[in-house]
Amino acid sequence: MRCPAPPWHAAAACALLLVGIASAQPSPWKPLAKDGLHDPKGPAIGVLQEPAAALSLLPRDTAGNMVRWVQAIDSGAIAPRTHLRPGTEVRMRDDDLIISKFGSMPAVKFPHRQHTLWLDCSNCHDKLFKAQAGANVFSMTAILNGEQCGLCHGAVAFPLTECNRCHSVSNASLMRRREP
Ligand code: HEC
Ligand code: HEC
Ligand code: HEC
């Protein structure tokens, strides 16, 4: 939007309008009373913390529930408990696997670390994915249907519209790596 040159009262009104637009930016998080899940007349409204009050303090995303959750852990903004029961073995893994190469899209990099920050191995192995590189047959159609990666992505993790967050490795860089 461009503000007009003088007369100045018009320019001033326009500047005020711009301030108005900026401050009227709706919050990306619905208030509990309007989320369609909580009873707006229930006693919990006013007692429960509003999502915006907690989530607006975390690293912002442009999609999904608008929080970069991996960044939230890495930056120390949140420090979720790894377990409740004593004696639980906390298992982490720190390798990346390239699971789709030389298609029409950049290759897919699956990072174990970012997943084991939140999940245990048994959430994925061996029912969902065999723990062996190249042993699984992936398909974007299945993923879009809520299977494989789509079991979580689009449901509890960043949505499938964020193509480049999975398709993050250029095929050209993989070609170069294969050359002797
Ligand atoms: C979010 C799901 C997920 C979680 C959680 C997960 N993995 Fe995996 N894992 C995968 C996927 C996907 C592959 C790649 C399989 C392929 O290439 O077909 C893989 C591959 C593997 C492989 C084969 C690697 C190779 O180089 O051959 C091993 C071993 C493995 N995982 C062990 C683990 C262990 C141990 C944990 C827990 C510390 C774990 N995974 C947690 C999804 C997961
Ligand atoms: C069992 C649930 C689950 C499955 C299955 C799963 N993911 Fe994830 N993934 C998560 C969670 C939870 C996060 C962290 C939260 C977020 O980034 O939204 C995550 C994060 C990621 C990230 C890192 C985002 C970042 O900010 O660093 C990538 C990349 C990713 N997943 C790709 C994949 C791919 C590719 C597959 C399938 C091979 C897959 N995921 C399967 C739950 C899952
Ligand atoms: C959560 C991770 C994830 C996201 C997000 C994602 N994909 Fe995929 N995609 C995959 C995986 C894993 C495969 C591997 C299937 C295979 O090996 O053929 C794949 C395969 C594909 C393929 C076929 C193989 C290729 O590279 O040509 C296409 C096309 C594709 N995706 C397009 C998209 C588009 C477009 C988007 C965004 C709208 C998207 N994908 C988002 C994980 C993802």
Side-chain angles (χ1 to χ4, degrees):
M1 179 171 172
R2 289 184 67 188
C3 287
W8 293 109
H9 61 272
C14 181
L16 279 177
L17 185 66
L18 284 179
V19 171
I21 291 172
S23 60
Q25 274 278 329
S27 159
W29 302 284
K30 281 198 185 124
L32 294 175
K34 292 189 180 158
D35 68 1
L37 298 168
H38 294 83
D39 177 0
K41 296 194 200 91
I45 302 291
V47 177
L48 291 173
Q49 185 180 34
E50 289 292 340
L55 301 182
S56 63
L57 305 177
L58 301 178
R60 186 68 71 90
D61 201 349
T62 49
N65 61 13
M66 308 301 271
V67 174
R68 282 304 289 249
W69 288 103
V70 172
Q71 224 173 299
I73 289 193
D74 284 344
S75 68
I78 57 170
R81 250 178 254 186
T82 54
H83 61 287
L84 291 173
R85 293 196 202 99
T88 304
E89 187 198 351
V90 179
R91 298 189 287 178
M92 302 282 293
R93 198 175 158 93
D94 196 3
D95 57 345
D96 294 336
L97 289 138
I98 305 292
I99 54 177
S100 164
K101 305 174 219 192
F102 311 123
S104 54
M105 293 284 288
V108 172
K109 181 163 84 182
F110 173 83
H112 263 120
R113 188 189 76 87
Q114 284 87 321
H115 288 92
T116 51
L117 285 174
W118 306 95
L119 300 161
D120 182 57
C121 318
S122 61
N123 290 125
C124 291
H125 298 307
D126 277 330
K127 261 200 182 139
L128 190 55
F129 303 120
K130 290 184 198 121
Q132 191 190 326
N136 302 277
V137 181
F138 292 96
S139 128
M140 195 65 221
T141 312
I143 293 169
L144 287 166
N145 283 334
E147 297 160 35
Q148 304 179 343
C149 320
L151 197 66
C152 300
H153 288 279
V156 297
F158 70 78
L160 295 171
T161 46
E162 306 309 289
C163 317
N164 298 342
R165 229 174 269 180
C166 290
H167 292 274
S168 62
V169 180
S170 88
N171 286 306
S173 73
L174 293 174
M175 297 263 211
R176 272 199 298 280
R177 226 179 286 160
R178 284 201 308 183
E179 282 159 14

